[in-house]
Amino acid sequence: MQFWLCPDCGRHWPHDPPIAVTPGQGVGELRKDLKLRRQELEAAPRLPGERGPESPIEMRLLEALCGIPDLPPPVPQHEIRDRDRIVTIPDFAYPDARIAIFCDGFAFHGNPDTLELDARKRNWLQSKDGGEWTVLTYWGRTIVRNAEACAREIAEIYRQKRRRGEAARSGGPADRESNPVAGARGAARE
């Protein structure tokens, strides 16, 4: 083992013996290493620092959601805050419709302490203080068995909330087709 003197800090650092390199070879090696790293990054589901699915069940549900043509892609790992404090980070969210989607695997979420903490956070989300989010929770085995059914359910809830939001903004009646009780009450008034 040899040591070299760092010109910045003056400390001696161990290093491996020098490798014989012909002029220009170092640049070629660096290019080869960078090419390999680029290939690794391109093969990854997302680039470092990007938010995205963090588990196979999240990836499966995202694929199913993206398979629904008129549904926008959800926001992955959306931080929901109470002032400056992060309360929870749903796996996916539709912030415009206030829908939070959690993909829970039994290995991580199946113990009493985690279940209790999850319930407390999700109850807060649904409260007035939390912004009255719609909270959807899917267990991993449900997603694995039929991710498309989960995605269809999410899409329908998204559409209903968007219709209600548009009706409220325009001052018009809620969509009677999606809410037969409101439709019957509306018909009785007309």
Side-chain angles (χ1 to χ4, degrees), residues 51-190:
R51 291 185 177 176
E54 295 183 346
S55 70
I57 59 173
E58 290 176 30
M59 181 59 80
R60 182 67 190 96
L61 183 58
L62 180 60
E63 289 169 353
L65 288 167
C66 290
I68 298 177
D70 63 334
L71 185 67
V75 176
Q77 311 306 319
H78 178 71
E79 294 177 354
I80 298 177
R81 298 174 172 266
D82 181 16
R83 295 174 201 71
D84 295 337
R85 181 179 66 95
I86 295 174
V87 175
T88 189
I89 302 175
D91 299 305
F92 302 107
Y94 288 98
D96 60 322
R98 301 190 83 66
I99 298 172
I101 304 161
F102 294 89
C103 304
D104 290 350
F106 186 78
F108 185 77
H109 295 272
N111 69 67
D113 292 335
T114 304
L115 288 169
E116 182 181 352
L117 180 62
D118 288 347
R120 194 174 329 125
K121 291 176 182 180
R122 294 168 191 186
N123 289 343
W124 180 86
L125 273 178
Q126 295 174 84
S127 73
K128 285 196 184 294
D129 289 341
E132 298 178 321
W133 285 72
T134 297
V135 176
L136 304 174
T137 302
Y138 296 93
W139 282 97
R141 62 189 283 165
T142 305
I143 295 169
V144 168
R145 286 182 184 156
N146 197 343
E148 288 73 20
C150 300
R152 285 191 301 271
E153 183 176 69
I154 292 165
E156 184 53 37
I157 292 168
Y158 177 82
R159 289 183 197 112
Q160 288 174 7
K161 289 195 76 169
R162 296 290 299 176
R163 282 191 295 261
R164 283 188 218 130
E166 289 168 7
R169 282 189 296 279
S170 69
D175 183 6
R176 293 182 183 153
E177 290 176 24
S178 66
N179 187 344
V181 175
R185 282 193 300 243
R189 278 189 241 133
E190 293 174 357

